[in-house]
Amino acid sequence: MIVRHSRGEYPIHFRSAEAIWASLNPHDPIVTDQNVARHYADALGSLERVLVLPAGERTKNLTQFGRVLGWLAGVGAKRSTRVVALGGGVIGDLVGFAAASYMRGVPFLQIPTSLLAMVDSSVGGKVGIDLPAGKNLAGAFHAPSEVWISQDFLKTLPSRHHRNGAAEVWKAGYIHRPALLDALRKNPVRPMHPDLQWIIEESVEMKRQVVEADEFETNGLRATLNFGHTVGHAIERQLSYRRLLHGEAIAVGMVWEAKIGERLGVTPVGTAGQIAADMAQQGLPTAIPSDLDRRDLVLSMGGDKKATHSGLALSLLTGWGTCKLITGIDPAEVESILLSE
Ligand SMILES: NC(=O)c1ccc[n+]([C@@H]2O[C@H](COP(=O)([O-])OP(=O)(O)OC[C@H]3O[C@@H](n4cnc5c(N)ncnc54)[C@H](O)[C@@H]3O)[C@@H](O)[C@H]2O)c1
């Protein structure tokens, strides 16, 4: 699969983990996290330059960003050096941003090891880190030079993180890929799913089509990837990024954005109920945590990047597999919907 962008193109290769280890250049600097390093210690042991960072979202910060840059300089990385990001979305985003900045940009290879990173974060060229003021506040568009995906890595991924990535697979189905929905309703995403390869490829293909058609988020198409994310991000912010993983918050967000869409007459009636049933079947949450103030949630949604002075902007389903960015939504109306149940 090839992803075309304004500065060129990059291939996405689907291969076995064994082939990935065999294809790696032992001299390439490779950055990973402690969990991945623990599971793949033998393979990593044969590589010369490996930086292991703490695992988790808190690593996506300025300190670790500086640490990666300093390490690249220390190992003598040059303009042509290819930096390898081996890990989930945290490592991909952080290392991608370091690659975008080091010597004003060096190539980087994404090897996603979590489901979320395979189907979402490794494709599209968005890289970045969190600031104390908010998530993903510093970043760049820096396309990888290649992406190598192997579902073999998922064998060691904890099941909660597997479900976390599954939320983005369902989202791909809801917004642009109805064939995925038919398959997932028969057999939800799970580690040894017989169609896992096809599920990953379909999700990646959906993202490829969207990012190629709207690389810099200027025509509204890329914004459709945010279905479930306006409510989901607000929940994550209100919970200070604790308790719920991103995909879990997005699962709740998709149910509620479908309810909002139904009330606004954009989304067919019955959609929210079906999504709630899908999420429950997948083992993902559907309810807004009871201790969150729903008025605060709407205020938080106003801080979303897509919101304007004329109101909230939400990516809403117009049917199974179709989605549209709706702007100028009155926050008072959203508040009344959130308070109605
Ligand atoms: N750039 C983008 O377009 C984009 C899109 C969506 C999400 N993101 C970002 O992605 C991040 C979330 O990604 P994530 O869910 O992969 O988080 P993550 O990188 O923290 O990985 C989740 C957990 O799984 C562990 N892990 C990863 N692969 C493993 C494996 N094969 N075996 C065992 N453990 C493994 C990690 O150590 C971590 O504990 C967020 O920071 C989010 O902002 C970016």
Side-chain angles (χ1 to χ4, degrees):
M1 193 184 293
I2 299 285
V3 183
R4 293 183 177 78
H5 58 95
S6 53
R7 292 188 182 176
E9 59 181 41
Y10 55 92
I12 300 177
H13 295 295
F14 296 89
R15 42 178 67 155
S16 67
E18 200 184 344
I20 285 183
W21 297 123
S23 318
L24 273 176
N25 180 339
H27 308 299
D28 283 348
I30 175 163
V31 184
T32 189
D33 76 20
Q34 284 166 342
N35 292 334
V36 178
R38 181 163 42 85
H39 285 292
Y40 302 98
D42 288 350
L44 286 168
S46 63
L47 305 174
E48 286 165 19
R49 300 188 284 187
V50 181
L51 175 63
V52 180
L53 301 178
E57 185 68 30
R58 261 178 275 174
T59 286
K60 228 175 88 174
N61 65 18
L62 270 173
T63 307
Q64 299 295 341
F65 173 67
R67 183 173 167 196
V68 176
L69 291 177
W71 179 75
L72 288 174
V75 298
K78 306 276 183 291
R79 264 242 164 90
S80 58
T81 301
R82 180 177 70 172
V83 182
V84 183
L86 174 79
V90 164
I91 290 295
D93 280 12
L94 169 74
V95 177
F97 191 35
S101 316
Y102 186 72
M103 293 190 171
R104 297 196 184 84
V106 294
F108 88 109
L109 163 63
Q110 287 258 31
I111 307 180
T113 60
S114 70
L115 182 58
L116 184 135
M118 290 178 195
V119 299
D120 191 357
S121 63
S122 64
V123 179
K126 278 190 184 179
V127 293
I129 56 170
D130 305 331
L131 298 182
K135 201 165 140 60
N136 294 326
L137 280 188
F141 282 99
H142 187 59
S145 48
E146 286 185 52
V147 182
W148 296 352
I149 298 179
S150 173
Q151 58 156 308
D152 293 344
F153 288 113
L154 299 178
K155 289 176 192 150
T156 55
L157 186 72
S159 54
R160 188 175 175 199
H161 285 287
H162 207 93
R163 292 194 295 276
N164 184 48
E168 295 287 359
V169 173
W170 281 95
K171 183 203 74 181
Y174 291 138
I175 61 175
H176 295 299
R177 273 282 190 288
L180 266 174
L181 299 178
D182 298 337
L184 295 179
R185 284 184 183 135
K186 288 189 198 109
N187 202 351
V189 185
R190 57 185 163 76
M192 302 311 279
H193 195 294
D195 298 325
L196 194 54
Q197 183 65 25
W198 174 80
I199 288 169
I200 296 170
E201 286 182 21
E202 275 292 290
S203 308
V204 173
E205 173 61 14
M206 185 287 294
K207 183 136 189 207
R208 182 194 70 77
Q209 286 179 1
V210 170
V211 300
E212 278 195 356
D214 185 16
E215 184 180 352
F216 298 115
E217 216 163 324
T218 46
N219 63 23
L221 188 58
R222 195 162 180 160
T224 61
L225 296 173
N226 276 321
F227 171 57
H229 285 57
T230 308
V231 170
H233 280 155
I235 293 173
E236 285 186 281
R237 269 196 295 275
Q238 293 306 107
L239 292 174
S240 306
Y241 300 97
R242 300 199 182 97
R243 272 170 42 199
L244 288 189
L245 295 173
H246 175 69
E248 294 168 339
I250 280 4
V252 179
M254 290 194 290
V255 173
W256 283 86
E257 290 186 15
K259 288 187 194 199
I260 294 167
E262 287 183 19
R263 283 277 288 270
L264 295 177
V266 176
T267 302
V269 172
T271 304
Q274 178 63 52
I275 294 179
D278 295 339
M279 294 302 100
Q281 192 194 4
Q282 184 64 67
L284 285 162
T286 57
I288 296 173
S290 55
D291 54 332
L292 288 189
D293 184 319
R294 296 182 182 207
R295 289 188 182 84
D296 289 344
L297 268 186
V298 179
L299 283 177
S300 187
M301 287 164 70
D304 183 81
K305 278 181 270 188
K306 297 183 299 314
T308 63
H309 60 273
S310 62
L312 302 174
L314 281 104
S315 167
L316 296 177
L317 294 188
T318 49
W320 296 124
T322 56
C323 187
K324 194 156 106 184
L325 181 68
I326 308 286
T327 55
I329 301 171
D330 183 358
E333 192 161 7
V334 172
E335 188 177 301
S336 90
I337 297 166
L338 292 195
L339 289 170
S340 66
E341 287 182 37

